[in-house]
Amino acid sequence: MSDDNKDQRDFWTDGGGLNWLAYEADLDASFAEIDQHLIAAGQPAGDMQVMDLGCGTGRTTRRIAQALGAGGSVTGVDISSSLLDAARAEGGTGISYLEADAQDYAFGDGAFDLILSRFGSMFFADPVAGLANLRRSLVPGGKMVLACWRRGKENPWFLVPLKAAITHFGPVGEIDPTAPGPTAFGDENRVLGLLEQAGFAEAGVEVLDLSLRYPRGIEDFIALQFKIGSMTRLIAEHEPDDAAKDRAAQMIAEAFADSSSADQVLIPARINLFTAVA
Ligand SMILES: C[S@@+](CC[C@H](N)C(=O)[O-])C[C@H]1O[C@@H](n2cnc3c(N)ncnc32)[C@H](O)[C@@H]1O
């Protein structure tokens, strides 16, 4: 087993991933609609054996379990013991969890009928190796459905805070859009190629144009953005003072002024929903 993904394991176990854990209920409320598309595309049912790849705190895992019948089961796979601890604490029938690096864990050939993932597939250091490993874990003809952000520039969730940070904290260094991270699978043609290289058939993509509903007001949304996502790198690099942070926060608030109220922020989002067959 390689240690290619040690940085990701460290991040998601006791680095920035702990901020994800702190905000996981609000993040899930924002992303819940994506699960409807994921489940409609994958159709978990009956006695299927399903993997939820990069399951985090298991919110999607539990929704998948509700779609299964007797004999069906869903395994939430994640590299972070911290997030899995939170998932396990919620329990649930027909659900188990596995701490593993999905890039190279030996799941067993044909262990799963279906793989689903909401935002858990874009972090492999070697994406072709990871996707090929997932293909081997599926029965022949088994389906995989991956929900992934499109490019950062198409998603105000990333673009607005990044612009505010560049304007008020300082320049950003070179960004490799394909480096492991939330928008690494943003370019659909690249990912369709990766799926083919990994041996998948019938690779396709549906682009979802959604309006995510963050379930609190703009001040909470801004506080989240200071902890998670595209601003955090520039905060670490430039160590902005409070005045600069206030100006950045103001810029974010203005960008969402027309779509925020006391108890919600609506954020337009573009998501790639990839499907492929083993
Ligand atoms: C953005 S979070 C998404 C969590 C969850 N699916 C959700 O939507 O709430 C990405 C997840 O992928 C997991 N992850 C990253 N690299 C992984 C790998 N190589 N193997 C398994 N899980 C991984 C992280 O630990 C994290 O829980």
Side-chain angles (χ1 to χ4, degrees), residues 228-261:
I228 293 172
S230 56
M231 295 186 96
T232 54
R233 173 176 162 186
L234 288 183
I235 292 172
E237 281 176 20
H238 296 294
E239 299 182 355
D241 60 19
D242 287 347
K245 287 182 181 172
D246 286 348
R247 288 194 297 274
Q250 183 61 29
M251 192 169 160
I252 298 172
E254 282 165 11
F256 290 108
D258 291 342
S259 61
S260 55
S261 62

Side-chain angles (χ1 to χ4, degrees), residues 5 12 20 54-56 78-80 83 100-102 118-120 123-124:
N5 295 306
W12 289 105
W20 179 281
C55 65
D78 206 281
I79 202 168
S80 164
L83 297 180
D101 180 348
R118 182 183 78 179
F119 296 161
F123 302 93
F124 295 138

Side-chain angles (χ1 to χ4, degrees), residues 210-232:
L210 305 178
S211 176
L212 304 181
R213 197 187 80 83
Y214 179 76
R216 297 179 195 276
I218 190 69
E219 284 181 11
D220 288 294
F221 180 71
I222 292 168
L224 167 99
Q225 291 294 342
F226 272 78
K227 299 259 186 201
I228 293 172
S230 56
M231 295 186 96
T232 54

Side-chain angles (χ1 to χ4, degrees), residues 5 8-9 11-13 20 24 27-28 31 35 52-61 77-81 83-84 98-104 107 117-125 149 182:
N5 295 306
Q8 291 296 328
R9 188 171 58 240
F11 175 86
W12 289 105
T13 305
W20 179 281
E24 67 92 32
L27 290 166
D28 179 67
F31 304 150
D35 284 349
D52 179 11
L53 165 66
C55 65
T57 59
R59 298 265 183 178
T60 304
T61 322
V77 174
D78 206 281
I79 202 168
S80 164
S81 58
L83 297 180
L84 286 173
L98 173 66
E99 183 182 333
D101 180 348
Q103 182 177 306
D104 58 11
F107 293 108
S117 181
R118 182 183 78 179
F119 296 161
S121 62
M122 314 86 110
F123 302 93
F124 295 138
W149 291 101

